[in-house]
Amino acid sequence: MQITLTDTIRTDFADSLSRMTDSLSIVKDSIHGALTDSLFLAPPVDTLVTEEADVIRNASDLFPGSLLLSANGTGSAMTSLGWGDSPINWGLITVFTILFILYLGRLVELLPYLLAGVGRWKAVVNLEDSMGKMRDRNGVAVIMTVPFCLACSKAGLLPMNFLSSLSPGLRTIGVMAVFFAFFVLRAILIEIVGNGKASRDAFQISNRCAYNFFILATLVLVLAMGVMYFMNLDEQTIRKVSYYILGVFILINMIRRTQILSNTCNQFTAFLYLCALEILPLAILIAAVMIF
């Protein structure tokens, strides 16, 4: 009788414990459901990271020039600045625009003289006879160095390794530094060679005639590149056409320089001047592009 009573008590206790456990499970599920509905319980961490990465990726597509935080919060730049996003390039464009507006009237007056020099070497000499025109020509040539360097930077006309590793703005500054070094090298060679057998006036005119064709080459290059980019041509085609344009004006400059010098010395001496003062600096520039 005592054993039967003990078994009954044990069975009743087990049943009570089982019912209590079921009740706690029901209460737990109810509380979890209520919290999920009312507090919008966050999804798992993996889902959050994936969704955040998708949002950042979509924002990067919409704003390619912006700097966005990566999904892991390291703050790294997910996209690099484009050429048109560089404040340095925009600053140079702004400065050139202001100067171009100031010198526009002088450029319009110079254009007939510059275009005439393409066809006749005597037109180059006639331009040098006017001190005012010569001063305006020199000023316009200095201003044209800005769009020329911007065009070279944009199209990658100087494929140098150290330039390609720079940001777009610093790349433009690097192109300007290379252009300045080329100009200094040319000036040093002019001082070393001197006028020699050629007359001093002819020698100076032949040295400055490069300014005429540099202005024309820059105008044609910028206009041609604008049309090519508007037509969405590939970069290789743009570079090839740009090289052809510069090559044509370099050739014209060499021909006019030789013709001017030939009037005061023989053609062989004029050719030696051409090699020392035009071909040699260009060869050094090409070698620097290949090496660096």
Side-chain angles (χ1 to χ4, degrees):
M1 183 67 179
Q2 184 178 358
I3 296 176
T4 303
L5 181 59
T6 303
D7 293 337
T8 302
I9 294 173
R10 186 181 302 167
T11 302
D12 292 340
F13 178 77
D15 292 341
S16 300
L17 184 61
S18 177
R19 286 194 296 270
M20 185 180 299
T21 303
D22 294 339
S23 299
L24 290 175
S25 298
I26 295 173
V27 171
K28 177 184 175 182
D29 294 338
S30 300
I31 294 175
H32 183 273
L35 288 174
T36 303
D37 294 337
S38 60
L39 299 180
F40 299 99
L41 195 61
V45 175
D46 295 339
T47 305
L48 281 175
V49 174
T50 304
E51 290 178 355
E52 183 181 354
D54 292 338
V55 170
I56 294 175
R57 192 179 300 109
N58 293 335
S60 300
D61 294 336
L62 290 174
F63 305 100
S66 60
L67 298 177
L68 299 174
L69 294 178
S70 61
N72 57 7
T74 58
S76 60
M78 298 192 68
T79 56
S80 59
L81 286 173
W83 191 91
D85 298 321
S86 172
I88 296 178
N89 291 336
W90 275 111
L92 291 174
I93 292 173
T94 303
V95 171
F96 165 71
T97 302
I98 295 173
L99 294 176
F100 183 77
I101 293 174
L102 294 176
Y103 275 79
L104 181 58
R106 303 176 192 181
L107 177 60
V108 172
E109 293 179 359
L110 284 172
L111 273 179
Y113 296 91
L114 300 179
L115 294 174
V118 176
R120 297 182 299 109
W121 67 268
K122 289 185 178 181
V124 178
V125 178
N126 293 336
L127 177 61
E128 298 290 333
D129 292 337
S130 173
M131 292 297 296
K133 292 288 189 297
M134 186 176 63
R135 249 191 331 264
D136 292 341
R137 188 272 317 274
N138 295 344
V140 173
V142 172
I143 294 173
M144 284 298 170
T145 58
V146 178
F148 178 80
C149 293
L150 286 170
C152 292
S153 173
K154 172 65 176 176
L157 298 185
L158 288 178
M160 307 176 78
N161 293 331
F162 85 93
L163 290 178
S164 60
S165 63
L166 299 176
S167 63
L170 293 180
R171 189 186 313 142
T172 303
I173 299 298
V175 171
M176 297 180 73
V178 173
F179 181 81
F180 179 76
F182 175 80
F183 179 80
V184 171
L185 173 63
R186 187 173 178 272
I188 292 174
L189 291 175
I190 290 174
E191 290 296 326
I192 292 175
V193 173
N195 60 295
K197 295 182 179 181
S199 69
R200 183 175 180 83
D201 290 340
F203 183 70
Q204 291 179 347
I205 292 173
S206 67
N207 291 332
R208 291 193 295 260
C209 76
Y211 301 157
N212 301 6
F213 304 112
F214 172 71
I215 294 171
L216 293 175
T218 302
L219 290 174
V220 175
L221 178 64
V222 172
L223 291 175
M225 287 182 61
V227 172
M228 289 186 289
Y229 276 110
F230 179 78
M231 296 173 62
N232 291 324
L233 298 181
D234 59 280
E235 294 290 336
Q236 185 176 0
T237 302
I238 294 175
R239 280 193 293 269
K240 186 179 297 186
V241 174
S242 300
Y243 288 143
Y244 286 150
I245 293 173
L246 295 177
V248 167
F249 281 99
I250 290 174
L251 181 61
I252 294 174
N253 175 56
M254 290 182 177
I255 294 174
R256 295 291 173 263
R257 183 178 188 128
T258 304
Q259 290 173 333
I260 294 172
L261 290 173
S262 298
N263 285 316
T264 57
C265 61
N266 59 61
Q267 292 186 351
F268 180 73
T269 303
F271 176 73
L272 292 179
Y273 279 117
L274 183 68
C275 292
L277 302 178
E278 295 293 344
I279 297 177
L280 180 59
L282 285 175
I284 294 176
L285 176 62
I286 295 174
V289 170
M290 296 177 63
I291 294 174
F292 299 102

